[in-house]
Amino acid sequence: MAAPLVGQSVKRKEDFRFITGNGRYTDDLTKPGQTYAAFVRSPHAHARIKSVDIAPARKVPGVVAVLTGADLEADGVKGLICGWMIHSKDGSPMRMGNHPALASSRVRHVGDQLAVVIGETMAAAAAGAEAVAVDYEVLPAVLAPEDAQTSPAQLHDEAPHNVIYNWHLGDEAKTKAAFASAAHVVELDIVNNRLVPNAMEPRAAIGEYDQGSGTFTLTTTSQNPHVARLVLSAFVQIAPEHKLRVIAPDVGGGFGSKIFIYPEETVCIWAAKKVGRPVKWTADRSESFLTDAHGRDHVSKAALALDASGRITGLKVHTIANLGAYMSTFSSSVPTYLYATLLSGQYDIPAIYAEVDAVYTNTSPVDAYRGAGRPEATYVVERLVEEAARQLKMDPAELRRRNFIQTFPHQTPVIMAYDIGDYGASLKEAMKVADVAGFAARKADAAKKGKLRGLGYATYIEACGIAPSQAVGSLGAGVGLWESAEVRVNPTGSVEVLTGSHSHGQGHETTFAQLVADRLGVPIETVEIVHGDTDKVQFGMGTYGSRSAAVGMSAISRALDKVVDKAKRIAAVVMELPPGEVSFADGVFAGIHSNKRMVFAEVALAAYVGHKFNTQEIEPGLKETAFYDPLNFTFPAGCHICEVEIDKDTGATRIVNFTAVDDFGTVINPMIVEGQVHGGIAQGIGQALLEHGIYDRETGQLLTGSYNDYAMPRADDVTDFKVGMTITPCPSNPLGVKGCGEAGAIAAPAAVMNAVTDALGIKTFDMPATPEKVWRAANARA
C-alpha cells in the first residue's frame, strides 16, 4: 500500500515554472494588434470637473483614441457596485454613492480616473494622458475617519455627513448592565492603521472584443474571475454573461486586493470594442499605491468589564471605519460581519455590544486585506485583555486561561457558533516553545545592556471558509459562498480537476493534487488542476477568506466520491460481480468475495470504451461535478507570542523571538501551511512596526506613495519564526480542514504591540511602532 500524500510536505508542483521564469502573468501576454491604456488621474483629493480638453492628446503621435466619462455614460456602462448590503441600526439600507469607472462630474480622491488614452505604445498612451487638459474646481476634502461626520466636505449626496451606515451588533442593555456591575473596567483608544497591499505583481488587464461573435474576453489579475464576470455583466452591463469570458492566468499575489472589480479592467474591456483592438493596461507601482483598495483604517473606543476574580463580563466597542471615496466590492462587510462577529475571541464573554460608523473620506477605497476584519477584531480584544492583565496585576496567560471557552459547541453573543477547539492546548504549547519561563532572566540580561525587553501574547480565532449561502444571504451578501469542482478522468487514467477556487500563491496545484492522488490511488504527476478561466470552469466563487481547502477542496472531495461510486459500478460489471461487491483502495478495485482486481487506469479505459457494460444503464465516461455549500464557518485558532528588545538610544525595535502555535484542523501539506504562517506573520509585523498609509490633511496627497516612504518589512525586520500546531479536526466539512492563510496577519499585530507596550511600560501606543515614536516613548519613560 502506497504511503498517503495528504499530511506530507510534498514539493510544490507549480514552482518549477515560476523559478525558471516560465510563469504566464497578464503582463507577459501580448495580443495581435494590441494597444495600451494610460489613465488621466486627478491630482486633487476632491474637485468638480469643469471641463476636459482632449484635443491636444489626440494630436500626440501614436494615440489611437481618447475616451472620457461622458463616452462611458453614453454607452450605458453603469457604475461599480458593493455586493454586500448592510442596514443601519434604524433599519435603513446603506447609502451607496455612484462609483463610475471614469469620473465625469467630480473626482473624489487623488488618483481617481476621469479619462483614458489608448496608444499604439505605452509611451504614446502616457504622452497622450499628459496632454489632456482638465479644468478643476477644488472642493473641501476630508481625509481622517474621525473628521468625516463633521467636515464641510460632502462626498456623495446620498450619504449626508459622509455616513454610509450606523450599524450595531449585540445586546446593548445586557452589556450596559455588565459594565454597571463590573469590579474593573479597562478602556483603550485603538487605531488600526491604514495599509497598502503591495502584492508582488501589480494589477493588470487586457480587454478584447471579437466583432464576429460579439464576445468580450478580459484577462486580468483576479482572485475570483467568475465573480468579476458576474458583476461586469449583470451590474456594470458591459456584455451579457454568455458573451463575456474572464481569464485569470498566473497571479502574483493578492492578499484580498485582487478580489474586487476595479475601474481599470472595466475600462479596458469597454475600450476594446470602442477601438476595435485589444487594450492592455498594467499598473506601475505608483498607480498601485493610489488605486489598489487599501486595508484596515479603523478608529475605535473599546472597553472591557471584569469581575473581582478576573472573569470577563462584558465588552463594548465603537468603531469608525474609513471606506474611502467609494464603496468597493465587499467593503461594507469588512467592518461589520467580518469584524464584530469575532469580538468574543477565544473568550466566554456573556455580553458584547459593537457599534460601527462607516464613513466616506477623500482617500483610496478600503476593502478586504489579508484577514479582512479579523485582524481588526483580534487587535481590539487582545490589546484589551493584555491591558486588563496589567491593571489587575495578573499573569496575562493566566487571565486568558481563566476566560477561555471550555465546552463546544459554543454560541457567542455576536452570531458566531464555534464548533470545536482547544485553546488551552495552543497556549500551553506556545509558552513552552517560546520559553516564557526564561523570559525574566532574558529581560534582566537585556537591562544590564541598557535594553528594554517585552513579551506579548495574542490568542486569536478567525472565521474562515465563509459560511452557508443562506446564512450569509440573511446578513446581506449578494452571492452564495459555495464552491464548485469537476473531476474529469481521462481514458488513460490521468485526471483533470476544474476548480472554482483560484490560486495566486497558495499552492493549489499541489495540495489539491495531493487529495486527488490519494483518493484515486494515481501518481500525483498525472493530476492536473485547472482554474481561473470562466470558459473552462462552469462557475466558482474564487479564493479569499482562507476558503480554498475548507470549501474548494470539499467540493473536490464530493466530486471524487461520485467518481469512485461510478467507477465501482463499472468495475463490478466488467469483472462480472454483483453490484456492491467491489471495494476500492489505493487505486485498486477488488472483489470483496473474490480475487478479481482492476487498477484505476483499467476501469477508466473501460468507462470510455463502453464495450463491457450496458450504456443505457451506466452512461459512458468518468466525469463528475459537485457544488459544496459549507455547513458553518471553520474556526482556526491559536496563540502567538512575541518577544522584543528595544534600543532606548535609537528607538529600534528588534523581534528576538516569535512563536506561533495554530490549530488548523487537518493539515494537507505542512510545508505549505508553514509558509502561509510565515508570510502572514511578516505582514502582521509590517503593520505593527513599519507600514502606514498617510495622507496629507491639507492637500489629500498620499505621502506614503512609494517604497521610499512606505516601509515594507524586509528580512532583517523579522526573525526565525517558531511554528507549532495543535489539531482539532473541523466537524463541519468532509476533510476536517480549517484555514491557514490569514492567521499570521491576524495574530501578529497584537502580539507585537503587546510586547512593545510591555517593554515600554505604557498603556497606549498606536501602530506602527516606528523608531522615532518608540524613542520618544522610551525616553519620556526614562
Side-chain angles (χ1 to χ4, degrees):
M1 183 174 180
L5 288 173
V6 169
Q8 301 303 311
S9 294
V10 175
K11 288 184 179 179
R12 290 175 26 134
K13 294 176 63 177
E14 52 269 77
D15 281 355
F16 178 79
R17 73 174 186 274
F18 294 141
I19 63 177
T20 57
N22 289 300
R24 297 288 284 171
Y25 299 92
T26 299
D27 193 50
D28 292 326
L29 305 176
T30 300
K31 305 294 181 176
Q34 179 176 287
T35 61
Y36 298 84
F39 288 87
V40 179
R41 300 190 181 277
S42 170
H44 303 293
H46 197 195
R48 186 170 288 109
I49 302 170
K50 297 173 69 176
S51 66
V52 181
D53 184 2
I54 62 175
R58 285 178 168 166
K59 297 176 183 177
V60 173
V63 166
V64 175
V66 184
L67 304 170
T68 67
D71 299 313
L72 198 74
E73 290 175 3
D75 283 357
V77 177
K78 306 300 182 184
L80 305 178
I81 66 158
C82 177
W84 196 305
M85 172 56 70
I86 299 296
H87 288 80
S88 290
K89 55 188 178 183
D90 64 4
S92 62
M94 66 188 188
R95 306 170 186 99
M96 181 166 58
N98 185 38
H99 185 188
L102 291 175
S104 60
S105 59
R106 205 169 1 153
V107 287
R108 293 180 172 87
H109 67 93
V110 172
D112 206 354
Q113 54 283 321
L114 60 135
V116 64
V117 177
I118 313 298
E120 296 284 359
T121 64
M122 291 177 64
E130 287 287 334
V132 173
V134 186
D135 187 12
Y136 297 98
E137 176 190 347
V138 178
L139 301 173
V142 59
L143 286 307
E146 60 268 31
D147 298 335
Q149 297 178 62
T150 57
S151 171
Q154 176 67 51
L155 273 72
H156 298 275
D157 295 340
E158 299 88 343
H161 308 295
N162 301 311
V163 176
I164 301 167
Y165 52 74
N166 303 107
W167 179 85
H168 70 159
L169 183 67
D171 190 324
E172 184 177 18
K174 188 175 180 180
T175 305
K176 280 184 177 179
F179 275 85
S181 62
H184 305 282
V185 172
V186 177
E187 297 178 318
L188 280 177
D189 291 337
I190 294 172
V191 175
N192 225 291
N193 44 320
R194 176 181 281 246
L195 303 178
V196 183
N198 277 301
M200 187 176 291
E201 179 200 21
R203 288 189 296 117
I206 303 173
E208 299 174 80
Y209 177 69
D210 186 321
Q211 189 169 358
S213 62
T215 57
F216 292 83
T217 300
L218 174 65
T219 303
T220 188
T221 50
S222 175
Q223 297 176 220
N224 50 357
H226 285 90
V227 175
R229 183 182 67 169
L230 174 64
V231 171
L232 288 170
S233 60
F235 299 98
V236 183
Q237 298 183 10
I238 289 288
E241 194 169 8
H242 68 289
K243 293 289 188 180
L244 175 58
R245 178 184 186 183
V246 178
I247 303 170
D250 288 330
V251 174
F255 312 116
S257 69
K258 293 174 183 171
I259 302 172
F260 324 120
I261 291 79
Y262 286 94
E264 290 85 0
E265 55 255 37
T266 304
V267 170
C268 283
I269 195 166
W270 163 72
K273 183 178 180 181
K274 297 290 285 185
V275 302
R277 294 167 62 181
V279 176
K280 180 177 182 177
W281 168 79
T282 301
D284 61 30
R285 191 57 66 177
S286 295
E287 283 184 295
S288 294
F289 270 98
L290 288 176
T291 64
D292 288 3
H294 293 177
R296 319 293 189 238
D297 210 352
H298 286 191
V299 177
S300 301
K301 289 187 175 294
L304 198 67
L306 302 99
D307 66 16
S309 68
R311 293 298 302 270
I312 301 170
T313 58
L315 184 152
K316 62 182 178 181
V317 59
H318 180 270
T319 294
I320 301 174
N322 185 1
L323 296 192
Y326 302 102
M327 297 192 75
S328 180
T329 312
F330 296 108
S331 61
S332 59
S333 66
V334 176
T336 52
Y337 291 113
L338 300 182
Y339 164 66
T341 55
L342 273 299
L343 286 171
S344 192
Q346 296 186 2
Y347 309 113
D348 188 358
I349 305 177
I352 299 174
Y353 183 66
E355 292 183 280
V356 178
D357 297 340
V359 297
Y360 285 119
T361 65
N362 295 106
T363 62
S364 299
V366 176
D367 208 314
Y369 174 65
R370 198 170 193 169
R374 283 73 56 85
E376 296 92 317
T378 297
Y379 192 69
V380 167
V381 174
E382 290 302 297
R383 288 288 293 117
L384 282 170
V385 170
E386 194 84 0
E387 180 58 28
R390 293 169 189 172
Q391 292 188 19
L392 295 174
K393 295 181 170 34
M394 284 184 65
D395 177 77
E398 175 55 32
L399 180 62
R400 287 176 167 84
R401 217 179 271 115
R402 189 168 299 186
N403 286 282
F404 279 159
I405 296 162
Q406 300 293 336
T407 58
F408 294 88
H410 173 83
Q411 178 63 57
T412 75
V414 279
I415 296 180
M416 292 299 180
Y418 301 165
D419 49 15
I420 197 168
D422 187 347
Y423 308 143
S426 297
L427 175 63
K428 181 180 179 180
E429 180 65 14
M431 292 178 69
K432 176 184 174 183
V433 174
D435 187 22
V436 170
F439 172 70
R442 296 193 297 275
K443 183 181 179 74
D445 287 343
K448 293 175 183 177
K449 302 171 187 174
K451 310 285 187 182
L452 303 175
R453 279 241 175 176
L455 191 74
Y457 293 79
T459 59
Y460 76 94
I461 188 165
E462 59 167 321
C464 297
I466 294 183
S469 295
Q470 283 190 335
V472 295
S474 70
L475 302 179
V479 292
L481 291 176
W482 43 263
E483 196 48 83
S484 73
E486 182 177 339
V487 176
R488 297 176 179 174
V489 180
N490 297 317
T492 58
S494 62
V495 184
E496 295 173 89
V497 179
L498 283 66
T499 173
S501 298
H502 186 277
S503 179
H504 37 279
Q506 294 89 344
H508 294 174
E509 293 175 37
T510 302
T511 53
F512 288 13
Q514 284 180 253
L515 173 67
V516 174
D518 255 10
R519 291 283 295 278
L520 300 183
V522 299
I524 193 171
E525 296 79 16
T526 65
V527 180
E528 188 76 14
I529 308 299
V530 179
H531 63 93
D533 188 336
T534 61
D535 268 14
K536 293 181 179 179
V537 180
Q538 179 187 350
F539 207 95
M541 299 311 300
T543 293
Y544 43 85
S546 299
R547 71 190 305 271
S548 296
V551 189
M553 289 183 76
S554 291
I556 294 172
S557 178
R558 289 279 177 87
L560 289 170
D561 289 342
K562 297 178 181 180
V563 165
V564 170
D565 180 66
K566 183 176 181 180
K568 286 168 70 175
R569 288 188 287 124
I570 292 171
V573 174
V574 173
M575 291 190 292
E576 300 179 336
L577 295 173
E581 287 290 310
V582 175
S583 66
F584 178 68
D586 201 25
V588 176
F589 298 87
I592 295 174
H593 300 107
S594 75
N595 61 358
K596 294 182 178 181
R597 295 161 53 90
M598 292 181 73
V599 297
F600 184 81
E602 290 175 315
V603 176
L605 181 60
Y608 284 94
V609 173
H611 291 171
K612 299 292 183 69
F613 57 90
N614 186 336
T615 57
Q616 302 305 308
E617 295 178 0
I618 303 176
E619 292 181 358
L622 197 51
K623 178 183 78 171
E624 296 291 345
T625 299
F627 286 74
Y628 178 77
D629 204 12
L631 299 174
N632 191 4
F633 288 90
T634 70
F635 297 99
C639 177
H640 290 202
I641 300 176
C642 178
E643 187 173 335
V644 301
E645 185 172 87
I646 292 173
D647 186 329
K648 291 187 293 183
D649 294 333
T650 64
T653 300
R654 186 167 65 93
I655 296 175
V656 293
N657 190 358
F658 198 104
T659 299
V661 175
D662 303 285
D663 178 0
F664 298 133
T666 301
V667 173
I668 305 297
N669 187 312
M671 177 188 69
I672 288 178
V673 168
E674 187 171 332
Q676 288 285 304
V677 173
H678 283 192
I681 294 171
Q683 285 182 277
I685 289 171
Q687 177 174 12
L689 298 183
L690 300 161
E691 300 180 48
H692 193 186
I694 301 173
Y695 286 87
D696 182 89
R697 293 205 177 193
E698 296 297 320
T699 66
Q701 299 296 323
L702 181 62
L703 299 178
T704 51
S706 75
Y707 290 142
N708 288 328
D709 314 295
Y710 187 89
M712 297 281 286
R714 301 177 301 179
D716 60 353
D717 293 311
V718 299
T719 185
D720 290 332
F721 306 129
K722 300 174 183 176
V723 175
M725 294 180 198
T726 58
I727 296 175
T728 55
C730 177
S732 63
N733 65 66
L735 302 174
V737 299
K738 297 182 182 179
C740 67
E742 299 166 287
I746 290 169
V752 173
M753 292 307 295
N754 282 337
V756 168
T757 52
D758 180 51
L760 293 173
I762 59 177
K763 174 180 177 181
T764 303
F765 198 91
D766 291 338
M767 296 185 287
T770 61
E772 180 189 359
K773 289 164 62 177
V774 171
W775 178 84
R776 291 183 184 279
N779 286 279
R781 172 181 178 271

